[in-house]
Amino acid sequence: MSKITAAITGVAGYVPEHIVTNAELEKLVNTSDEWIMSRTGIKERRRIQKGWAASDMAAAAVRDLLVKTKTDACEIDLMICATVTGDMKFPDTATLTCHKIGANNAFGYDLAAACSGFLFALQTGAQFIMAGTYKKVVVVGVDVMSTITDYTDRTTCILFGDGCGAVMLEPNTEGLGVQDAILRSDGGGANWLHMKAGGSLHPPSHETVDKKMHYLFQEGRPVFKAAVNGMSSTMKALMERNQLTINDISWITPHQANKRIISAVADFSGAPMEKIMVNIHKYGNTTAGTIPICLWEYEPQLKKGDNVILTAFGGGFTWGSLLLKWAY
Ligand code: UT7
């Protein structure tokens, strides 16, 4: 019997219609389009509509995914939702999304690994397919960063946006799909990138709200350095372990946190920018959403058999790289 691999058989996404331009942010904080573009490469980002939450964006993306893959919602076995901005503490966003789309035979759960969440969730979902346990696993990356962004802090409010991407994972016997991954976590990075309150360490109180502890905090420079190192080193190790050179790689899909980080990772790998998926100028950093949104946008250019490396770095610290053979 041939080995079962976990192939991505479809990809879809959802980004809110409301665009927040750099000019709008210039009215809120002391910044400029020139600074934002030259330091980050971000031109605009999206903001979710009133009354919507993470599961609404996830449901919109997954409905589209079901149409594209000709799947009935009742056929889904499992949904894993990578997010750090779920609708509420519980129920989890995957469970709420399953309900919204009518996935009545599925179970679901959330996975929190910040900007590396989609990679961690994809690797997790792939194991269930490879083991033969499930036939249809939906992996979602969704974040509503506008809800934890302090729009008086110029160092962070220019970076983040809202968005969602989703993929379908199914068994494959041609050796296509997820091949290998190197994933890492190091809680020692928590000092540089975190949201202090809302958990068991600092439960919500008047004091935590007054002290702005429910907003994302980031010390940009150390995170920048660690991101370049973490993404580059795991990509290199992954290629070596699979006896691949950069010439064998058709596409690199980097987490979209900063255009300068993306360029540094490209330089390190020796890949020309034509091989690097980039859409940070349109959406900013959507945390767990960036990689599946990139795959969704670049889908028409991907070909069956293409080697694709997904690479990410985020709060935790969490980071890693995953090698895929595109399946369609
Ligand atoms: O996705 C999770 C992982 N996150 C990341 O990978 C993000 C990593 N970090 C970064 O992308 C960059 O560090 C930032 C974009 C956050 C900041 O860029 P930087 O080139 O590292 O700037 P900096 O923090 O060193 O600040 C340089 C100067 C400072 O002014 P002084 O102290 O030199 O007078 C900042 O106050 O730029 C100032 N600055 C701004 N000026 C205009 C910071 N933010 C802004 C702003 N507009 N929005």
Side-chain angles (χ1 to χ4, degrees), residues 186-196 217-219 223 314-318:
D186 176 5
N191 282 342
W192 315 118
L193 181 50
H194 59 253
M195 189 177 111
K196 284 185 187 66
F217 168 88
Q218 176 172 252
E219 185 107 24
V223 178
F317 292 148
T318 56

mmCIF file of all heavy atoms in Angstrom, residues 186-196 217-219 223 314-318:
data_model
loop_
_atom_site.group_PDB
_atom_site.id
_atom_site.type_symbol
_atom_site.label_atom_id
_atom_site.label_comp_id
_atom_site.label_asym_id
_atom_site.label_seq_id
_atom_site.Cartn_x
_atom_site.Cartn_y
_atom_site.Cartn_z
ATOM 1 N N ASP A 186 9.932 28.992 22.134
ATOM 2 C CA ASP A 186 10.826 29.390 23.219
ATOM 3 C C ASP A 186 10.157 30.523 23.998
ATOM 4 O O ASP A 186 10.137 31.671 23.550
ATOM 5 C CB ASP A 186 12.176 29.859 22.643
ATOM 6 C CG ASP A 186 13.111 30.391 23.735
ATOM 7 O OD1 ASP A 186 12.743 30.312 24.931
ATOM 8 O OD2 ASP A 186 14.195 30.888 23.383
ATOM 9 N N GLY A 187 9.607 30.154 25.161
ATOM 10 C CA GLY A 187 8.895 31.136 25.990
ATOM 11 C C GLY A 187 9.788 32.249 26.508
ATOM 12 O O GLY A 187 9.290 33.261 27.018
ATOM 13 N N GLY A 188 11.105 32.103 26.359
ATOM 14 C CA GLY A 188 12.031 33.167 26.745
ATOM 15 C C GLY A 188 11.826 34.430 25.922
ATOM 16 O O GLY A 188 12.258 35.514 26.313
ATOM 17 N N GLY A 189 11.130 34.296 24.789
ATOM 18 C CA GLY A 189 10.871 35.466 23.936
ATOM 19 C C GLY A 189 9.670 36.277 24.381
ATOM 20 O O GLY A 189 9.385 37.345 23.813
ATOM 21 N N ALA A 190 8.968 35.808 25.423
ATOM 22 C CA ALA A 190 7.709 36.458 25.823
ATOM 23 C C ALA A 190 7.889 37.933 26.190
ATOM 24 O O ALA A 190 6.988 38.748 25.985
ATOM 25 C CB ALA A 190 7.078 35.702 26.993
ATOM 26 N N ASN A 191 9.070 38.279 26.733
ATOM 27 C CA ASN A 191 9.298 39.670 27.136
ATOM 28 C C ASN A 191 9.127 40.657 25.996
ATOM 29 O O ASN A 191 8.735 41.800 26.205
ATOM 30 C CB ASN A 191 10.746 39.835 27.645
ATOM 31 C CG ASN A 191 10.884 39.312 29.048
ATOM 32 O OD1 ASN A 191 9.881 39.150 29.743
ATOM 33 N ND2 ASN A 191 12.109 39.015 29.446
ATOM 34 N N TRP A 192 9.445 40.226 24.788
ATOM 35 C CA TRP A 192 9.524 41.166 23.663
ATOM 36 C C TRP A 192 8.219 41.303 22.884
ATOM 37 O O TRP A 192 8.057 42.258 22.127
ATOM 38 C CB TRP A 192 10.636 40.742 22.685
ATOM 39 C CG TRP A 192 11.905 40.356 23.350
ATOM 40 C CD1 TRP A 192 12.507 39.135 23.318
ATOM 41 C CD2 TRP A 192 12.737 41.179 24.167
ATOM 42 N NE1 TRP A 192 13.647 39.141 24.064
ATOM 43 C CE2 TRP A 192 13.823 40.392 24.598
ATOM 44 C CE3 TRP A 192 12.662 42.510 24.586
ATOM 45 C CZ2 TRP A 192 14.823 40.887 25.415
ATOM 46 C CZ3 TRP A 192 13.659 43.002 25.404
ATOM 47 C CH2 TRP A 192 14.719 42.197 25.802
ATOM 48 N N LEU A 193 7.352 40.317 23.041
ATOM 49 C CA LEU A 193 6.114 40.330 22.246
ATOM 50 C C LEU A 193 5.043 39.561 23.008
ATOM 51 O O LEU A 193 5.149 38.345 23.177
ATOM 52 C CB LEU A 193 6.401 39.676 20.876
ATOM 53 C CG LEU A 193 5.283 39.584 19.842
ATOM 54 C CD1 LEU A 193 4.599 40.914 19.628
ATOM 55 C CD2 LEU A 193 5.846 39.070 18.515
ATOM 56 N N HIS A 194 4.041 40.276 23.503
ATOM 57 C CA HIS A 194 3.016 39.614 24.311
ATOM 58 C C HIS A 194 1.791 40.508 24.483
ATOM 59 O O HIS A 194 1.818 41.694 24.142
ATOM 60 C CB HIS A 194 3.576 39.267 25.702
ATOM 61 C CG HIS A 194 4.061 40.472 26.467
ATOM 62 N ND1 HIS A 194 5.387 40.746 26.662
ATOM 63 C CD2 HIS A 194 3.389 41.498 27.045
ATOM 64 C CE1 HIS A 194 5.513 41.878 27.345
ATOM 65 N NE2 HIS A 194 4.310 42.354 27.576
ATOM 66 N N MET A 195 0.738 39.924 25.045
ATOM 67 C CA MET A 195 -0.403 40.702 25.542
ATOM 68 C C MET A 195 -0.547 40.317 27.007
ATOM 69 O O MET A 195 -0.801 39.153 27.318
ATOM 70 C CB MET A 195 -1.661 40.340 24.753
ATOM 71 C CG MET A 195 -2.824 41.241 25.052
ATOM 72 S SD MET A 195 -4.236 40.794 24.028
ATOM 73 C CE MET A 195 -5.310 40.147 25.290
ATOM 74 N N LYS A 196 -0.340 41.275 27.906
ATOM 75 C CA LYS A 196 -0.166 40.944 29.335
ATOM 76 C C LYS A 196 -1.418 40.381 30.004
ATOM 77 O O LYS A 196 -1.353 39.423 30.762
ATOM 78 C CB LYS A 196 0.235 42.202 30.108
ATOM 79 C CG LYS A 196 1.670 42.616 29.914
ATOM 80 C CD LYS A 196 2.025 43.796 30.797
ATOM 81 C CE LYS A 196 3.405 44.318 30.492
ATOM 82 N NZ LYS A 196 3.532 44.903 29.137
ATOM 83 N N PHE A 217 1.846 44.143 23.041
ATOM 84 C CA PHE A 217 3.068 44.896 23.303
ATOM 85 C C PHE A 217 4.195 44.285 22.479
ATOM 86 O O PHE A 217 4.333 43.059 22.428
ATOM 87 C CB PHE A 217 3.441 44.825 24.791
ATOM 88 C CG PHE A 217 4.824 45.339 25.069
ATOM 89 C CD1 PHE A 217 5.045 46.685 25.318
ATOM 90 C CD2 PHE A 217 5.919 44.474 25.055
ATOM 91 C CE1 PHE A 217 6.335 47.162 25.554
ATOM 92 C CE2 PHE A 217 7.208 44.943 25.283
ATOM 93 C CZ PHE A 217 7.418 46.288 25.532
ATOM 94 N N GLN A 218 4.976 45.126 21.839
ATOM 95 C CA GLN A 218 6.133 44.602 21.098
ATOM 96 C C GLN A 218 7.339 45.512 21.214
ATOM 97 O O GLN A 218 7.216 46.734 21.101
ATOM 98 C CB GLN A 218 5.798 44.432 19.608
ATOM 99 C CG GLN A 218 7.009 43.977 18.783
ATOM 100 C CD GLN A 218 6.679 43.612 17.351
ATOM 101 O OE1 GLN A 218 6.694 42.450 16.985
ATOM 102 N NE2 GLN A 218 6.378 44.621 16.550
ATOM 103 N N GLU A 219 8.488 44.906 21.443
ATOM 104 C CA GLU A 219 9.775 45.605 21.347
ATOM 105 C C GLU A 219 10.330 45.198 19.984
ATOM 106 O O GLU A 219 10.823 44.062 19.829
ATOM 107 C CB GLU A 219 10.677 45.123 22.483
ATOM 108 C CG GLU A 219 11.986 45.823 22.609
ATOM 109 C CD GLU A 219 12.022 46.762 23.814
ATOM 110 O OE1 GLU A 219 11.254 46.554 24.764
ATOM 111 O OE2 GLU A 219 12.804 47.704 23.747
ATOM 112 N N VAL A 223 12.751 41.549 18.184
ATOM 113 C CA VAL A 223 11.860 40.624 17.470
ATOM 114 C C VAL A 223 12.295 40.527 16.005
ATOM 115 O O VAL A 223 12.322 39.443 15.416
ATOM 116 C CB VAL A 223 10.379 41.080 17.581
ATOM 117 C CG1 VAL A 223 9.473 40.140 16.800
ATOM 118 C CG2 VAL A 223 9.938 41.142 19.035
ATOM 119 N N GLY A 314 6.828 34.315 15.321
ATOM 120 C CA GLY A 314 5.836 35.104 16.043
ATOM 121 C C GLY A 314 6.007 35.073 17.542
ATOM 122 O O GLY A 314 6.984 34.531 18.074
ATOM 123 N N GLY A 315 5.046 35.663 18.219
ATOM 124 C CA GLY A 315 5.044 35.789 19.674
ATOM 125 C C GLY A 315 5.210 34.432 20.330
ATOM 126 O O GLY A 315 4.690 33.424 19.867
ATOM 127 N N GLY A 316 5.941 34.438 21.431
ATOM 128 C CA GLY A 316 6.213 33.180 22.151
ATOM 129 C C GLY A 316 7.603 33.195 22.751
ATOM 130 O O GLY A 316 7.717 33.269 23.942
ATOM 131 N N PHE A 317 8.643 33.196 21.978
ATOM 132 C CA PHE A 317 8.675 33.134 20.514
ATOM 133 C C PHE A 317 8.221 31.767 19.990
ATOM 134 O O PHE A 317 8.440 30.749 20.652
ATOM 135 C CB PHE A 317 10.075 33.421 19.992
ATOM 136 C CG PHE A 317 10.551 34.830 20.201
ATOM 137 C CD1 PHE A 317 11.889 35.118 20.411
ATOM 138 C CD2 PHE A 317 9.661 35.909 20.195
ATOM 139 C CE1 PHE A 317 12.333 36.428 20.596
ATOM 140 C CE2 PHE A 317 10.100 37.224 20.369
ATOM 141 C CZ PHE A 317 11.436 37.465 20.567
ATOM 142 N N THR A 318 7.650 31.789 18.789
ATOM 143 C CA THR A 318 7.356 30.569 18.048
ATOM 144 C C THR A 318 7.902 30.773 16.639
ATOM 145 O O THR A 318 7.876 31.894 16.131
ATOM 146 C CB THR A 318 5.842 30.343 17.934
ATOM 147 O OG1 THR A 318 5.258 31.509 17.331
ATOM 148 C CG2 THR A 318 5.198 30.090 19.281
#
